[in-house]
Amino acid sequence: MKIVETVKQIREEVARARKEGKKVGFVPTMGYLHEGHASLIQRAKAENEFVVVSIFVNPTQFGVGEDFETYPRDLERDSEIAEQAGANIIFHPTVGEMYPLGYRTYVDVEGITSKLCGASRPGHFRGVTTIVSKLFHMVKADRAYFGQKDAQQVAVIQQMVRDLNMDIEIVPCPIVREADGLAMSSRNTYLNPSERQAALILSQSLFEAQGMIDHGEHDAGKLGFWIKENIQTEPLAKIDYVEIVDAVTLEEIEEIKGDVLIALAVRIGKTRLIDNIRLEV
Ligand code: AMP
């Protein structure tokens, strides 16, 4: 497995693979890889002969006071995990390579980017859609793999691909969890032992909510209220949002019916965690 740092190199490597008739799968990440990322790479490898993994902590998707500087980075460990999972190449550009002096162009998806995470992280999705567009132009993959862990990101990217007629298939992949239910995240490394325990309130609330729906609860208002109350029983938890929405439009719903997304963002100490479940009711 190769690691390249420039746009020129990644273009050449992908062009060579294409010339050999290979389908190209792409997994964009910010690194500090875990089994969630590995599952995306494995899926990409199962469906494409050539798999590109990008590792880039993208400054434009971090707000002021967020964790851009402290975001965990470990390229050596990442390359082992990526190679093991089936990656053919890692694209690991510098910030200067992606945003050279005089950079001026941004991609903005309207509406669905201002809700949920977009409400508490203004500008976040503008950074995401900009970097993903740039990467799509560089990598020219047939398919790109995204985790349902970031459910809003999937919806926003799908909207962008539709709206801008991008010739790429977006493949959403299921959330990979720790044995006790916590959704895997590079940010889980920020948690101390008591916070790690407290963080279980996210998945536990979602699983119980799912059970209540299975037992016939269809009132989104009631269920949302119950989830909030339940999260508040954990002293270390501070709710950012709890939303029950249509999984495609992210519009709030009153009745739990159709393609439903229950999404939450909760601060455990200083760490902001997100989790969700998507259900067909
Ligand atoms: P990140 O490095 O956090 O930007 O994530 C890169 C990709 O991995 C995104 O598409 C995420 O949704 C996905 N991902 C992160 N955590 C998980 C997880 N626990 N399960 C599945 N996919 C994940």
Side-chain angles (χ1 to χ4, degrees):
M1 188 195 63
K2 259 194 188 169
I3 303 179
V4 299
E5 292 195 344
T6 67
V7 177
K8 185 170 179 286
Q9 285 170 310
I10 193 65
R11 281 195 197 284
E12 284 168 3
E13 294 289 339
V14 174
R16 185 173 316 136
R18 284 200 166 285
K19 225 171 163 188
E20 291 167 6
K22 293 177 176 164
K23 288 281 179 199
V24 179
F26 177 40
V27 182
T29 82
M30 297 204 301
Y32 216 71
L33 304 183
H34 50 64
E35 286 170 49
H37 299 111
S39 74
L40 268 52
I41 301 170
Q42 284 156 1
R43 173 91 179 264
K45 188 63 175 190
E47 298 177 356
N48 308 272
E49 292 84 28
F50 191 76
V51 173
V52 180
V53 174
S54 65
I55 296 181
F56 180 63
V57 185
N58 173 35
T60 63
Q61 72 190 67
F62 287 79
V64 178
E66 290 188 356
D67 55 346
F68 172 67
E69 281 85 11
T70 52
Y71 196 85
R73 293 159 168 93
D74 187 344
L75 184 61
E76 207 170 307
R77 186 171 155 274
D78 285 351
S79 3
E80 280 166 27
I81 296 172
E83 182 163 27
Q84 196 77 37
N88 294 93
I89 190 157
I90 289 182
F91 179 43
H92 180 247
T94 60
V95 172
E97 181 74 7
M98 297 306 266
Y99 299 106
L101 216 63
Y103 189 86
R104 285 276 178 269
T105 307
Y106 293 86
V107 177
D108 210 349
V109 173
E110 296 180 352
I112 60 170
T113 52
S114 52
K115 317 164 198 282
L116 311 182
C117 286
S120 45
R121 304 186 71 190
H124 168 68
F125 286 110
R126 180 178 186 253
V128 170
T129 45
T130 298
I131 196 66
V132 170
S133 304
K134 284 171 66 66
L135 288 165
F136 282 1
H137 283 113
M138 293 166 190
V139 176
K140 294 209 180 69
D142 297 282
R143 305 183 184 92
Y145 296 79
F146 289 86
Q148 194 60 40
K149 158 90 188 331
D150 299 270
Q152 187 174 13
Q153 176 168 276
V154 172
V156 170
I157 298 288
Q158 284 175 324
Q159 179 82 48
M160 174 185 80
V161 165
R162 270 199 308 278
D163 289 352
L164 295 181
N165 309 92
M166 292 180 172
D167 192 14
I168 188 164
E169 182 190 339
I170 303 302
V171 185
C173 302
I175 300 178
V176 177
R177 298 178 179 280
E178 303 284 358
D180 60 7
L182 179 68
M184 289 192 184
S185 164
S186 309
R187 289 193 169 96
N188 291 348
T189 52
Y190 297 152
L191 303 168
N192 69 30
S194 55
E195 289 170 342
R196 171 67 183 75
Q197 186 60 31
L200 292 177
I201 197 70
L202 282 86
S203 53
Q204 185 249 333
S205 301
L206 288 170
F207 297 156
E208 283 201 36
Q210 164 125 49
M212 289 160 80
I213 294 168
D214 293 343
H215 283 93
E217 180 61 81
H218 286 107
D219 184 328
K222 267 196 202 160
L223 196 70
F225 184 75
W226 180 87
I227 295 172
K228 284 181 189 161
E229 294 264 285
N230 193 58
I231 294 173
Q232 278 159 3
T233 62
E234 171 49 63
L236 295 179
K238 194 163 167 286
I239 295 172
D240 180 352
Y241 66 77
V242 172
E243 297 274 1
I244 302 179
V245 296
D246 177 283
V248 176
T249 63
L250 305 185
E251 294 292 344
E252 208 175 308
I253 54 172
E254 282 173 16
E255 191 192 355
I256 297 174
K257 197 168 167 235
D259 192 356
V260 176
L261 177 73
I262 308 180
L264 36 98
V266 176
R267 253 172 229 289
I268 304 289
K270 286 201 174 79
T271 307
R272 184 176 177 281
L273 299 176
I274 57 171
D275 199 351
N276 69 82
I277 48 171
R278 185 171 174 171
L279 358 127
E280 200 62 57
V281 186

